[in-house]
């Protein structure tokens, strides 16, 4: 049995999701009349207490559209050094927005009000103008840790004091909400824009949503077209998103419980030096200094367990909709046998 824990993006649509896609009523989204895309955008905007939404092919696109729309060339963006917008979007902040970045060193990738304050550029002609702060929730590189509403509200206060905009990369926001019990509607008022992914824990084949004010979304829609992101009968994909919002949110608890179990099991392996705290569906562990993550991941693959490297000695597992209890038991057996020690 192949156990694929490389990412929560590897899921296949369920038969019921495929049926919803098959039955979707579609139009032409570039012409603005795909009813299923419109329904998804309205549903998501309402859910998060935002005015409007834009359905896009990827979370990279929704983040990049947000940054591009909020900034002007030469502006500065504050984010954590571990953030996806900085590390994993191809240098997009520089390329798409012509903006620079001030990197904070938060705890597990989380910013604080103090860190934001420290990274605001002074009013000095040598300096770029700080315009935007980007948070990530949950933090991928931080091992799936999350913010609480009071933590975000305190950062929002600093942004308001300094006239800064606040964007949330919420690729895995639903994973955070399931753990904290916070309502999505509490999020809208705290941010100028939010990106959420449907293609991660929610199990859609494709899709992310950008949420924000009506004028902001209108401008982002222009930039999406400019980037070649206008799509036509996208309602087939939007139908998967609507299905996922209705059926795949509460089950994320299962992914978290399974991830915690994996975290505990890994503690028994002698080649593993440390396991990051498992807060949601991401398990990151550090190997002994004599073992390279790339070698270890190759050994795991030989045993039918797929993972990704997350640093020289770091490996990441992510649980998801297609990772079952049966697979968890298989994985537990392999871990009990001793994974690398058997090779
Ligand atoms: C996956 C992810 C994204 C978006 O990735 P795409 O593959 O472009 O959809 C953005 N931010 C974080 C934190 C992610 O994990």
């Amino acid at each position: 049995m192949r156990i694929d824990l490389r990412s929560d993006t590897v899921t296949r649509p369920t038969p019921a999701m495929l049926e919803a896609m098959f039955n979707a009523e579609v139009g032409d989204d570039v012409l603005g009349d795909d009813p299923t895309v419109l329904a998804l955008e309205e549903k998501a905007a309402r859910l998060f207490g935002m005015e409007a939404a834009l359905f896009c092919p990827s979370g990279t696109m929704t983040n990049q559209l947000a940054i591009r729309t909020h900034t002007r060339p030469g502006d500065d963006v504050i984010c954590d050094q571990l953030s996806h917008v900085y590390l994993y979007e191809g240098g997009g902040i520089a390329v798409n927005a012509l903006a620079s970045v001030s990197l904070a060193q938060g705890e597990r990738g989380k910013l604080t009000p103090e860190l934001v304050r420290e990274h605001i550029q002074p009013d000095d002609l040598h300096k770029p103008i700080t315009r935007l702060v980007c948070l990530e929730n949950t933090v991928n590189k931080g091992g799936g840790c999350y913010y609480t509403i009071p933590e975000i509200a305190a950062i929002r206060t600093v942004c308001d004091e300094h006239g800064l905009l606040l964007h949330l990369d919420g690729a895995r926001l639903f994973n955070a909400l399931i753990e904290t019990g916070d309502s999505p509607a509490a999020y809208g008022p705290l941010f100028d824009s939010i990106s959420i992914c449907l293609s991660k824990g929610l199990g859609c084949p494709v899709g992310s949503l950008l949420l924000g004010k009506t004028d902001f979304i209108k401008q982002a829609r222009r930039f999406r077209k400019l980037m070649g992101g206008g799509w036509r009968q996208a309602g087939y994909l939007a139908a998967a998103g609507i299905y996922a919002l209705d059926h795949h949110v509460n089950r994320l608890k299962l992914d978290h419980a399974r991830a915690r179990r994996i975290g505990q099991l890994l503690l028994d392996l002698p080649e593993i030096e440390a396991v990051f705290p498992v807060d949601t569906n991401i398990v990151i562990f550090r190997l002994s200094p004599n073992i390279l993550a790339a070698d270890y991941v190759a050994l795991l693959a030989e045993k039918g367990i797929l993972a990704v490297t997350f640093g020289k000695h770091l490996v990441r597992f992510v649980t998801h909709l297609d990772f079952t209890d049966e697979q968890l038991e298989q994985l537990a057996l392999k871990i009990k046998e001793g994974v690398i020690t058997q090779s």
Side-chain angles (χ1 to χ4, degrees):
M1 186 192 282
R2 201 177 86 136
I3 300 173
D4 193 347
L5 296 167
R6 287 173 299 167
S7 174
D8 41 9
T9 56
V10 301
T11 55
R12 305 294 195 273
T14 62
M17 179 180 279
L18 281 173
E19 196 183 319
M21 295 169 72
F22 186 81
N23 292 321
E25 200 189 323
V26 298
D28 187 318
D29 183 50
V30 174
L31 301 181
D33 65 7
D34 186 303
T36 309
V37 171
L38 292 171
L40 171 65
E41 289 174 346
E42 199 194 316
K43 184 181 177 74
R46 205 174 334 111
L47 184 63
F48 283 92
M50 283 290 205
E51 286 176 11
L54 180 66
F55 183 43
C56 290
S58 73
T60 298
M61 189 183 275
T62 44
N63 281 330
Q64 291 299 316
L65 288 177
I67 296 166
R68 167 103 201 250
T69 307
H70 284 315
T71 59
R72 287 187 298 188
D75 282 349
D76 198 48
V77 177
I78 298 174
C79 61
D80 189 88
Q81 59 173 352
L82 297 184
S83 59
H84 194 280
V85 293
Y86 172 69
L87 283 180
Y88 296 126
E89 299 187 4
I93 297 179
V95 175
N96 297 312
L98 303 174
S100 60
V101 166
S102 288
L103 291 178
Q105 303 193 335
E107 186 74 34
R108 296 177 72 197
K110 285 173 64 185
L111 295 183
T112 60
E114 295 72 34
L115 281 170
V116 171
R117 234 182 244 116
E118 280 168 26
H119 287 81
I120 296 172
Q121 301 285 357
D123 183 9
D124 173 338
L125 64 82
H126 298 87
K127 299 289 185 178
I129 295 170
T130 304
R131 183 84 56 193
L132 176 67
V133 177
C134 291
L135 305 185
E136 188 172 310
N137 197 20
T138 67
V139 187
N140 177 21
K141 266 259 169 180
C145 58
Y146 51 81
Y147 288 87
T148 63
I149 294 274
E151 286 171 334
I152 297 170
I155 292 172
R156 175 81 249 183
T157 302
V158 176
C159 290
D160 288 342
E161 283 165 9
H162 296 270
L164 306 180
L165 298 165
L166 185 58
H167 170 71
L168 175 63
D169 175 357
R172 296 189 179 85
L173 180 54
F174 284 105
N175 296 88
L177 293 173
I178 281 292
E179 276 306 309
T180 58
D182 292 329
S183 99
Y187 266 71
L190 291 169
F191 291 95
D192 296 287
S193 54
I194 298 176
S195 159
I196 56 170
C197 287
L198 302 166
S199 56
K200 300 252 161 100
L202 297 194
C204 291
V206 173
S208 293
L209 284 153
L210 180 61
L211 314 171
K213 290 211 161 55
T214 306
D215 285 351
F216 165 84
I217 291 295
K218 188 176 171 197
Q219 184 58 43
R221 194 181 292 278
R222 292 187 73 90
F223 286 139
R224 185 188 68 170
K225 188 75 179 81
L226 176 63
M227 282 179 151
W231 45 2
R232 304 294 179 172
Q233 285 72 55
Y236 291 117
L237 297 168
I242 292 172
Y243 181 88
L245 289 173
D246 287 338
H247 297 97
H248 289 172
V249 174
N250 286 328
R251 63 152 306 285
L252 291 171
K253 292 188 202 71
L254 285 172
D255 294 347
H256 298 181
R258 288 171 185 146
R260 274 192 289 272
R261 172 96 193 285
I262 294 173
Q264 281 157 7
L265 291 163
L266 291 173
L267 291 172
D268 292 339
L269 285 173
E271 69 269 20
I272 291 177
E273 202 176 74
V275 181
F276 283 33
V278 181
D279 296 331
T280 51
N281 69 331
I282 297 177
V283 184
I284 298 179
F285 56 90
R286 184 182 304 111
L287 296 156
S288 314
N290 59 328
I291 305 172
L292 291 173
D295 294 340
Y296 197 73
V297 165
L299 276 168
L300 288 177
E302 279 172 23
K303 291 166 191 287
I305 303 165
L306 304 186
V308 296
T309 63
F310 233 43
K312 200 171 172 194
H313 301 287
L314 295 179
V315 177
R316 186 190 75 170
F317 286 147
V318 187
T319 59
H320 52 74
L321 187 60
D322 288 354
F323 176 66
T324 60
D325 275 333
E326 197 192 349
Q327 291 181 353
L328 178 59
E329 290 322 310
Q330 289 270 334
L331 180 69
L333 277 176
K334 287 181 203 260
I335 290 172
K336 278 184 189 127
E337 287 166 7
V339 178
I340 205 169
T341 35
Q342 290 283 303
S343 59

